Amino acid sequence: MTTEDGPFHDCELDPEAILGTHTFEDVLFTDDTETPVNVLTGETPAHSQATVEEAKAFAASIDSGTPQIALPASVESQVETQSKPYTAAAFFHFKATGSLKRHRAYHAAHNSDTFTVDFEADYESGELTITVEQAGEF
C-alpha cells in the first residue's frame, strides 16, 4: 500500500512524522486550569468549579467511538457560555497536538489497521503522551 492510497492519502504529514512516542505538555484540564473570578466577590462562579475527576468522567461519557480527553476551556468561553472549565475532545485533537496537520495524521493512524495508537492522559501534569507504532505495511 502506498501513501497515495493508504490511510494518509489526505494528510499533509507522512506517517513517519507521528511514529514513536510524542508528549504534549500542559494541554489537559488540571486542577490548576484557569477559571474566571468575579471581581466583586473574588469567587469563582459555580459553573466554573470542577474537579479533574468530573472532567475525566465527562470525557469518558462521550460515546463517539474515539477515546476522548478533557481539555481546558478558555476563561472567555466559560464566561460567555457559563460553561464548565473543561471540554471533551478526541485524544488527537489539534488543541492537544498543536496542529491540524498532526490531528489529521493521528486520526488517520487511529482509524487504520496499519498502526497501533495508544495514549496516556496525565491529568496531574497536564501531559498527553501518544504512541504510534507500525503494525503492518503502508
Side-chain angles (χ1 to χ4, degrees), residues 83-94:
S83 64
K84 291 290 188 183
Y86 55 79
T87 187
F91 71 91
F92 48 76
H93 195 275
F94 68 89

Side-chain angles (χ1 to χ4, degrees), residues 39-53:
V39 294
L40 300 175
T41 65
E43 296 178 3
T44 297
H47 66 81
S48 286
Q49 296 175 11
T51 66
V52 168
E53 291 308 314

Side-chain angles (χ1 to χ4, degrees), residues 26-134:
D26 299 319
V27 297
L28 299 174
F29 176 80
T30 68
D31 287 328
D32 297 326
T33 294
E34 187 179 15
T35 55
V37 175
N38 182 317
V39 294
L40 300 175
T41 65
E43 296 178 3
T44 297
H47 66 81
S48 286
Q49 296 175 11
T51 66
V52 168
E53 291 308 314
E54 290 172 324
K56 287 170 39 177
F58 173 72
S61 74
I62 306 297
D63 185 18
S64 70
T66 300
Q68 303 286 300
I69 56 173
L71 298 175
S74 71
V75 170
E76 293 81 10
S77 69
Q78 292 175 57
V79 170
E80 289 174 9
T81 63
Q82 294 192 0
S83 64
K84 291 290 188 183
Y86 55 79
T87 187
F91 71 91
F92 48 76
H93 195 275
F94 68 89
K95 287 184 179 178
T97 62
S99 78
L100 195 52
K101 290 177 185 179
R102 282 190 170 276
H103 168 98
R104 289 182 179 138
Y106 281 122
H107 189 202
H110 175 69
N111 287 337
S112 170
D113 293 334
T114 307
F115 301 92
T116 59
V117 182
D118 294 308
F119 73 96
E120 180 181 339
D122 182 344
Y123 289 95
E124 285 187 33
S125 69
E127 290 183 351
L128 172 67
T129 302
I130 302 175
T131 302
V132 178
E133 295 177 350
Q134 186 174 338

Side-chain angles (χ1 to χ4, degrees), residues 1-19 101-102 104-110 112 114-115 117 132 138:
M1 177 185 311
T2 66
T3 302
E4 290 80 32
D5 63 1
F8 283 77
H9 71 278
D10 284 336
C11 294
E12 295 177 53
L13 295 178
D14 291 329
E16 289 82 11
I18 61 165
L19 284 174
K101 290 177 185 179
R102 282 190 170 276
R104 289 182 179 138
Y106 281 122
H107 189 202
H110 175 69
S112 170
T114 307
F115 301 92
V117 182
V132 178
F138 62 88

